[in-house]
Amino acid sequence: MRWRPWIWLSISLLCFLGAAYFWHLGDEWAAQKKAASSLSQTNQPSAERPKAAAPAPAMTNARLLSQPDHLSSSTTKSHASAQVAYRLSNTTKRLGELARSDKAILLQNALLDTGEPANLAIPEQLRAKGDPGAYIVQARGPIDNAFRALLKAQGATVVAYVPNNGFLVRAPEAVSEGLASQSDVQAVVPYEPYYKLQPSLLALAVQQKNLPDNTTLNLLLFADAHDSALAALQQLGAQVLSEDRSPFGPVVRVQPPVDSLPALAGIPGVHEIELARTRVLANDLSRAAVGVAADSVTPNNYLDLQGLGVMVAVSDTGVDSTHPDLANRVLFDVPAAGLDTNGHGTHVAGTIAGDGTESTTVTNAEGSIMPGTNGQFRGMAPQATLFSMDLNRPDFDLQQTAARTNAVISNNSWTYGDAAYDLAAASY
């Protein structure tokens, strides 16, 4: 059989992913440049932008970044432009400049320069009503143990790192004000509801449009706010369909009222909101495309990397552990994972670690040299060991089980039908 891939494996693949990332980053820089150019011509957003509120008084030593100024937007149809269409900013600096700045805070929905005036055009419906319960606290330089100790001593609980030099923390407003007065703190940023929404949902919330009927959402909750968040969801009329875990906190899948998106984001116990999607199997990369080998018939891999001693966890439809190309190299924790009635998991496993034994039996691979030669249809790491798991297990279970096997790579050749960086991607 012919192995056509989707894999994340080996140094060569990392190079490919790095190139793809910087390509995407370049697109974003270009989009940011265009947005900055339009900003220099006018400081007015679209007609749907709400009026700016009056600025709050400045704080001692560090400023509380919460007030409106301008809204960056783009009307192009490209993926990069869609990602930045409603991204707020208080600066005209490009993303590349901010990425290298100790005074930048880089969020999915906002790019902030904490050395500049703190105005942001957050629509009223996506601004915290009262104490948001969570803040981004930025150090004046690289984070060290002294900064972590300061946060703990002041009563703040670290949730996650935020570039650059910042932490998202759980803390009441009084604690945030105390932190803002510390000499080691560059800025304290309220974690506004605006920041919680994935770009695919942000436009609806900004424009105050309803969700489509029967929309299902994933809500990441702060670990200490599970019960209060569920109570708030019930009060809004949202139906909780299921619960899961993640390294960042509980995840609940809900079906909310169609007009409740801003209210959901306004719940202090909610960390992030995204569309809930079903997993879709995916394969579309080849060994040559990711640079493992110069072409399909070259007998040697890049740097002669073979994967010996490397275990790869494969979350898929199972793997046929009896396949000749994978013989004696497939492990599994439940018997069903060593079988594959669908074929996709075995296909993926062959792309990762098939040794090409069956290459000469392939006679119907259009566009390839026939018959196969030199292990032509071998995988990327033909001496690697595989650990097979059923993809229909919860994310947290897949992560923990893979880690307990000492797998150093986790392959997930499925998607949710969307390219967004979501909770599942962040967890792996």
Side-chain angles (χ1 to χ4, degrees):
M1 74 188 303
R2 183 181 181 185
W3 307 118
R4 292 182 346 188
W6 178 290
I7 308 304
W8 316 114
L9 186 61
S10 86
I11 292 175
S12 58
L13 180 55
L14 292 177
C15 293
F16 172 81
L17 290 175
Y21 169 75
F22 284 107
W23 188 0
H24 174 70
L25 194 61
D27 286 343
E28 289 219 353
W29 288 348
Q32 284 294 110
K33 181 178 180 181
K34 183 174 182 179
S37 175
S38 64
L39 222 87
S40 65
Q41 299 171 15
T42 174
N43 196 35
Q44 300 299 319
S46 66
E48 295 172 338
R49 169 184 158 184
K51 293 182 178 179
M59 301 186 69
T60 305
N61 292 332
R63 58 175 63 92
L64 193 62
L65 298 180
S66 61
Q67 303 308 315
D69 182 35
H70 61 262
L71 178 64
S72 298
S73 64
S74 173
T75 57
T76 66
K77 301 297 184 180
S78 69
H79 175 71
S81 295
Q83 292 294 309
V84 303
Y86 289 93
R87 181 180 288 168
L88 302 178
S89 183
N90 69 331
T91 177
T92 57
K93 291 179 181 177
R94 299 180 185 179
L95 178 59
E97 294 177 84
L98 293 172
R100 296 185 292 271
S101 171
D102 284 338
K103 294 183 179 180
I105 292 178
L106 310 178
L107 302 174
Q108 183 166 233
N109 295 339
L111 300 176
L112 309 176
D113 183 346
T114 58
E116 298 291 334
N119 297 332
L120 290 176
I122 298 175
E124 189 60 33
Q125 72 273 17
L126 293 175
R127 190 181 292 276
K129 307 301 186 291
D131 184 0
Y135 297 83
I136 299 167
V137 184
Q138 185 181 50
R140 289 200 181 274
I143 289 174
D144 55 19
N145 288 335
F147 184 71
R148 294 183 180 90
L150 170 65
L151 295 177
K152 184 176 181 180
Q154 292 289 316
T157 301
V158 172
V159 176
Y161 174 75
V162 176
N164 294 330
N165 307 327
F167 281 127
L168 175 63
V169 304
R170 287 282 285 169
E173 187 173 21
V175 169
S176 74
E177 293 173 350
L179 285 168
S181 67
Q182 299 296 312
S183 60
D184 291 338
V185 174
Q186 168 67 22
V188 176
V189 182
Y191 190 61
E192 300 282 4
Y194 195 96
Y195 306 147
K196 302 178 183 181
L197 294 162
Q198 286 284 334
S200 56
L201 295 169
L202 186 58
L204 290 176
V206 170
Q207 298 172 20
Q208 301 190 65
K209 293 182 178 179
N210 286 350
L211 291 163
D213 290 338
N214 301 316
T215 296
T216 304
L217 302 174
N218 285 334
L219 273 60
L220 173 64
L221 309 181
F222 290 112
D224 63 346
H226 174 270
D227 293 346
S228 61
L230 288 186
L233 289 171
Q234 184 177 14
Q235 187 173 4
L236 283 175
Q239 181 183 2
V240 177
L241 304 177
S242 64
E243 293 191 39
D244 199 356
R245 297 178 294 168
S246 82
F248 312 103
V251 178
V252 294
R253 181 163 292 194
V254 304
Q255 193 169 85
V258 295
D259 60 351
S260 65
L261 189 54
L264 290 172
I267 297 174
V270 171
H271 180 172
E272 182 179 324
I273 303 176
E274 67 182 22
L275 286 169
R277 303 181 185 276
T278 56
R279 293 171 181 170
V280 181
L281 301 175
N283 289 286
D284 59 3
L285 301 178
S286 69
R287 253 183 332 121
V290 298
V292 172
D295 54 54
S296 63
V297 298
T298 299
N300 298 321
N301 284 0
Y302 174 70
L303 295 180
D304 202 31
L305 295 172
Q306 302 296 322
L308 182 63
V310 176
M311 181 175 289
V312 182
V314 180
S315 305
D316 216 286
T317 61
V319 175
D320 179 2
S321 57
T322 67
H323 194 288
D325 281 18
L326 305 169
N328 302 316
R329 290 185 292 119
V330 180
L331 307 176
F332 39 88
D333 59 344
V334 295
L339 307 172
D340 183 16
T341 58
N342 179 285
H344 185 272
T346 305
H347 171 91
V348 167
T351 305
I352 298 171
D355 63 13
T357 297
E358 296 290 279
S359 292
T360 57
T361 69
V362 178
T363 60
N364 62 347
E366 184 179 349
S368 297
I369 296 174
M370 293 285 104
T373 183
N374 294 332
Q376 181 174 328
F377 297 106
R378 70 187 184 279
M380 300 173 69
Q383 295 181 32
T385 302
L386 303 174
F387 183 75
S388 175
M389 295 182 291
D390 182 352
L391 68 85
N392 291 311
R393 295 157 69 162
D395 287 332
F396 198 83
D397 184 32
L398 292 174
Q399 297 152 16
Q400 285 198 336
T401 303
R404 291 191 183 109
T405 67
N406 294 319
V408 296
I409 297 169
S410 180
N411 178 82
N412 310 290
S413 290
W414 38 263
T415 74
Y416 290 98
D418 186 84
Y421 185 75
D422 56 14
L423 288 175
S427 298
Y428 277 99

